[in-house]
Every structure is written in C-alpha cells, then in structure tokens.
Amino acid sequence: MKNLQELFEHELKDLYSAEKQLVEALPKMHDAATHKELKKSFADHLEQTKGHRDKVKSILDDLGVNPGSTKCDGMEGLIKEGEAVIKEDAPSNVKDAALISAAQRVEHYEMAGYGTASEYARVLGHEKYAKTLESILAEETKSDRHLNGLALKEINKSAM
C-alpha cells in the first residue's frame, strides 16, 4: 500500500471478506442459541450482513477493485472463538450469554472497520461511499446495543 487510496481499498476488501465469513457463521450461532429473541436477532443480523456484504462489494465494483482472495484474519479469529462457544458443553442459558459475548466482539470489530473506512472515504473525497459506510456502521452499532439489551434484560441474569 503506497497511499491512503490503496489503504482504503485494502480496508474494503478486508470488510468484504469479514462479511462473507459472517454470513457463513451466523446460521451456526442461530442454531446454537436457545433464547427466542436471541435466535431472532441472529436471523435478522444474517439478512443485514448479506446487505452489508453486497454494499461493500458494490463500492469495490465502483472503484474497479477485485476483492480477490483477501481474507480477514481478524474475523476468522473471532469466528473461531464463536465456534468454541458453540461446542462448549454448558447449560443453554450460559451458552446464550456466551453467544452474545462472541457476537458483540464481532460487532465491535466491524464497528472499528467501518468507522475507519468511512473516514478514509471522507478524506479521499468519496462522500457517497462514506455515507454508505456510515450507514453500515450505524446498523452495526444498533445491533450491538440490541445484543447488549438482551444480555442485560434477562439472559445474563438467567445464566447466574
């Protein structure tokens, strides 16, 4: 990477990879969850994630950038942690609390990536892309708050 434009393109490829990996992981999290609202949250987030993946791909296409075989190592690690939670032999309410924790780590990782990419876009004069990335960031933030609300409202208490 020689300049901010190339760094921006790298960040987009990384985010695209992260969203693709998450599309594969969320159904497993859904299946492992037992709390009705948590299952719905994972199902809803899967559809949202597909939309995020498609929006990032659209930006890459507009820029004439092929994501190629870029792999987001950070998301890969977070998904491995989530898979360990899924395999854990624990009471369902404890597993649900652990699934929220794993999902919130993913949300925070995505929030950092989208926040950074939107600022790069703005500095580079890509206002349209910045707005798209900021809208994704807002959705990720809302998802994180929703998961936190589920945890605080009842799931963490039931895991005690």
Side-chain angles (χ1 to χ4, degrees):
M1 293 174 282
K2 297 176 190 136
N3 55 47
L4 189 61
Q5 180 65 36
E6 289 181 9
L7 177 57
F8 174 58
E9 292 169 5
H10 172 77
E11 288 293 324
L12 290 172
K13 291 191 287 188
D14 199 60
L15 287 165
Y16 179 69
S17 170
E19 297 292 12
K20 281 179 38 181
Q21 291 179 59
L22 194 52
V23 164
E24 294 177 19
L26 278 166
K28 297 172 192 170
M29 295 179 80
H30 171 273
D31 292 346
T34 57
H35 189 277
K36 183 180 173 183
E37 260 188 273
L38 182 57
K39 286 181 90 63
K40 182 180 179 338
S41 180
F42 287 143
D44 291 347
H45 198 65
L46 173 60
E47 294 311 307
Q48 186 181 73
T49 300
K50 289 176 183 177
H52 295 169
R53 176 200 59 201
D54 295 346
K55 287 177 183 178
V56 173
K57 180 68 165 83
S58 178
I59 294 171
L60 287 165
D61 289 345
D62 279 358
L63 292 169
V65 175
N66 182 345
S69 60
T70 300
K71 183 152 195 175
C72 179
D73 296 330
M75 184 60 77
E76 182 179 40
L78 290 168
I79 288 172
K80 282 182 183 176
E81 287 184 14
E83 288 171 348
V85 167
I86 290 169
K87 292 175 186 171
E88 186 69 36
D89 182 25
S92 60
N93 52 357
V94 174
K95 188 175 277 194
D96 284 343
L99 286 167
I100 288 175
S101 176
Q104 284 192 283
R105 284 185 181 90
V106 166
E107 294 301 339
H108 289 217
Y109 183 80
E110 289 180 304
M111 289 160 55
Y114 283 109
T116 298
S118 68
E119 286 306 313
Y120 290 165
R122 183 164 269 88
V123 168
L124 290 164
H126 299 307
E127 192 60 36
K128 176 180 153 188
Y129 303 147
K131 286 181 180 180
T132 298
L133 296 166
E134 287 169 357
S135 74
I136 295 171
L137 173 60
E139 289 177 353
E140 299 293 5
T141 301
K142 185 177 177 182
S143 294
D144 176 61
R145 287 185 181 139
H146 176 72
L147 288 168
N148 199 53
L150 284 176
L152 295 175
K153 185 170 74 174
E154 64 182 274
I155 293 176
N156 288 352
K157 291 176 186 166
S158 73
M160 290 176 58

